Structure formats: C-alpha cells, structure tokens
Amino acid sequence: MRCITPKCIEAKCNKKQMKIEPDTGGILLEDRIKRIYCPMTETGFYILFCLQVPQHGYGISQQVKQMTGNRVVISPGTMYGTLSKMEKDRLITFVREEEKRKLYCITEAGKEVLTTEIQRIERLYKNSQGEWIL
Amino acid sequence: MDFMSEMKINFFTIADYQEEEIWLREQHKNGRKLQKIVLPCFYIFEECEPEDVIYRLDYKNSKADNTYIQMFQDYGWEYFADCAGWHYLRKPASEMELEEEKDIFSDNTSRLEMVQNVFRTRMVPLMIILLCCILPQLYRLDSHGMDGALKVVFAFLLVIYLYLIAHCTFKLKKIRDELI
C-alpha cells in the first residue's frame, strides 16, 4: 500500500485515535465499528482508501472514477453522508478547509479498518482462484 | 413577485418527494423554473428557456452549510432552495455523462438512510402528537358535551390527519422495501 501522507498531516490525523491496547500495542476497534465497517461497502472502501492522502469529497469521487474506469460512481449525497458518518466514527478526521471544501484524512482506526478489509478482499480473491489459505 | 413569476399550487406529502421531483422536471421542460417554495403548497416559478433539468430532493432536517452546498456544486448540482428540512437541487440532464450521475445518491444504503431519517424525524412526532394530544383532547371535549358543528369540524380534521399519517407510513414503507 502506498502512502504519501506528509509527516505533519499524519501527526494531525493520528490525534483522535482509538483506545490503545496496552498488551499488543495495536488498536482496539470498538465492536460497533467492526459491525458497521467490516465488511465494508464499495463506497466506504474507496473513500477510506483515497483518504490515505488528504482530500475533499469531490476529489475522492474523481479519483475513484479514474481508478475504476467510471465503474464506481460516488454521488454527492452519498459522499457527504459517508464522510460525516466516518468522521463521527473517527475513521477519518477533518484536516483543513480550502475554499469551502473540507479536507479529510484517514486516522489510525481508519487504517486498521482498511487493512482488515484489504486482507478480507485478498482472501476472497485467493479463494476464488481455487487457492486455499493454510 | 414580478410579472415573470408564476405561482402554482400542488400538495406533496413528505413521502411523495419522488413525485415532486418528476413534477418539477416537467415544469422546467415547459419553461418554468422553480424559484422557491412557500409552505404548505405554493410553488413560485420563473419563466425560463424550456430545458430537461433533473430535480432532486435531499432531506437533512437542518440548514445546508457552506461545505454541503459546495460539495453539490462541485458535482454540478445547483442548490437553490430549501423548505422544512428538504433541500432542493437541480442539474441539467445534458451535463450528465453517466446514468449513475442522475441521482444524488449512489447506493441504497444512503437512500435508505434518508427514508429512515424522514420517518424518524417527521412521522414519529406526528404519531406522538396524534396519540398524546389530539386523541385525549377529543375525548375530553366529547365527554364535556361538544357543539354539533364543532364536532363535525374536529371529525373532519381527524380524518384528514389519519389519512395523511396512513398514506405517508405506507408510502415510506413501500420506498424502504424497494431499497432493502
């Protein structure tokens, strides 16, 4: 996974992180978050994936359209609602405002959810190819 | 109101927003562009060039903030009016490259959320008002002996109220079931 988030923004993103599990050093995701976001909707996945770099809603939707050859379209109502929900659930955080556009970036908890989801998709893919995971 | 404006009366309930969108699109095709809505049922139009413009209603139950308006503007949707928690948006059909861009929602999860939000913040209070205020009040008035004419008026209002509640509940449920 490529992440080109500048250090300063990364620090800002990590500010509102979830409870740290003392034994493992990892992040303990709340059950509620797991229930809602694992597995994720396509919209949710692409938004989290794109927010590894700070962006605003329309920017995300343009990037997703390009990445998927116009196959995945995220409309403004869905984008606005998902961003607000993810911000409330602290998977993403508000970075700054640019010309009335809110820029968001993924948090540590968001990264955890994204990694879990990518592993799930990898497993699905491997299994679909007849490969077993031992 | 200047001479270019025209007022039309049409009544849509909170569950008829899809019909309202279609009606507004028809109006624009006939050279009438919606300017604003005055409760409960007055639509103020201004004359314009006939054009196929898609109208969408979003329900937020709050005022639209700058980032909300800007987000829709980025996508080419003009936010031009709001009325009792509903936000009115429009975009010319000619500017839509893909079929999916004709809607302001791209997945059923968010469509469903809007319907549930309408139900929770509009229907539930209406039902509570009916059960906790109107019905007990009617019962009280009745037991005190009410004037015949007044009784007819109250009965008539109650029938309208019950009809609207039933209509909205069934319609919202139907929309919801189509989305699940």
Side-chain angles (χ1 to χ4, degrees), chain A residues 61 65 74 77-78 85 101, chain B residues 74-75 101 104 106 110 113:
Chain A
S61 99
K65 257 171 95 175
I74 307 176
T78 301
K85 227 166 22 179
R101 294 178 185 90
Chain B
D74 284 345
Y75 278 83
E101 288 173 344
I104 51 167
S106 48
S110 36
E113 250 162 45

Side-chain angles (χ1 to χ4, degrees), chain A residues 41 43 56-58 61 65 70-71 73-81 83 85 97 99-102, chain B residues 58 60 65-68 70-72 74-75 77 97-98 100-101 103-107 109-110 113:
Chain A
T41 60
T43 308
H56 55 74
Y58 185 63
S61 99
K65 257 171 95 175
N70 284 350
R71 278 175 188 82
V73 173
I74 307 176
S75 302
T78 301
M79 178 64 78
Y80 188 85
L83 287 176
K85 227 166 22 179
E97 203 172 302
E99 291 161 30
K100 293 184 199 159
R101 294 178 185 90
K102 274 186 172 179
Chain B
D58 187 15
K60 292 230 86 68
D65 56 27
N66 281 341
T67 49
Y68 176 88
Q70 183 63 48
M71 167 98 68
F72 278 88
D74 284 345
Y75 278 83
W77 289 91
E97 295 161 27
L98 305 165
E100 293 91 330
E101 288 173 344
D103 200 351
I104 51 167
F105 297 113
S106 48
D107 63 15
T109 317
S110 36
E113 250 162 45

Side-chain angles (χ1 to χ4, degrees), chain B residues 5-129:
Chain B
S5 295
E6 188 181 336
M7 188 185 78
K8 275 184 175 255
I9 294 178
N10 205 338
F11 191 80
F12 294 101
T13 72
I14 47 173
D16 302 321
Y17 59 92
Q18 288 163 336
E19 285 78 5
E20 193 174 345
E21 290 169 354
I22 295 168
W23 182 69
L24 293 173
R25 183 177 177 180
E26 285 306 312
Q27 297 302 317
H28 208 131
K29 270 186 195 162
N30 293 323
R32 280 185 292 268
K33 181 178 174 181
L34 182 63
Q35 239 181 341
K36 65 175 179 178
I37 307 105
V38 179
L39 280 175
C41 52
F42 305 105
Y43 291 78
I44 320 282
F45 292 94
E46 64 180 300
E47 268 178 45
C48 67
E49 282 296 307
E51 195 187 353
D52 188 11
V53 174
I54 294 185
Y55 280 73
R56 292 285 176 229
L57 270 71
D58 187 15
Y59 179 76
K60 292 230 86 68
N61 198 28
S62 60
K63 281 251 171 264
D65 56 27
N66 281 341
T67 49
Y68 176 88
I69 297 168
Q70 183 63 48
M71 167 98 68
F72 278 88
Q73 212 175 339
D74 284 345
Y75 278 83
W77 289 91
E78 180 200 353
Y79 167 89
F80 65 95
D82 71 314
C83 180
W86 290 91
H87 299 324
Y88 287 73
L89 301 138
R90 66 179 159 218
K91 183 177 176 178
S94 58
E95 286 175 20
M96 295 172 185
E97 295 161 27
L98 305 165
E99 190 58 34
E100 293 91 330
E101 288 173 344
K102 288 189 177 166
D103 200 351
I104 51 167
F105 297 113
S106 48
D107 63 15
N108 280 352
T109 317
S110 36
R111 288 186 191 101
L112 199 62
E113 250 162 45
M114 188 183 106
V115 177
Q116 284 166 340
N117 200 10
V118 172
F119 193 84
R120 212 176 40 240
T121 59
R122 285 293 144 91
M123 286 308 293
V124 173
L126 281 180
M127 287 175 185
I128 293 174
I129 291 172

Side-chain angles (χ1 to χ4, degrees), chain A residues 26-38:
Chain A
I27 290 155
L28 183 69
L29 288 175
E30 286 170 26
D31 280 346
R32 194 182 68 84
I33 301 290
K34 271 194 198 153
R35 215 169 45 237
I36 302 173
Y37 294 99
C38 308

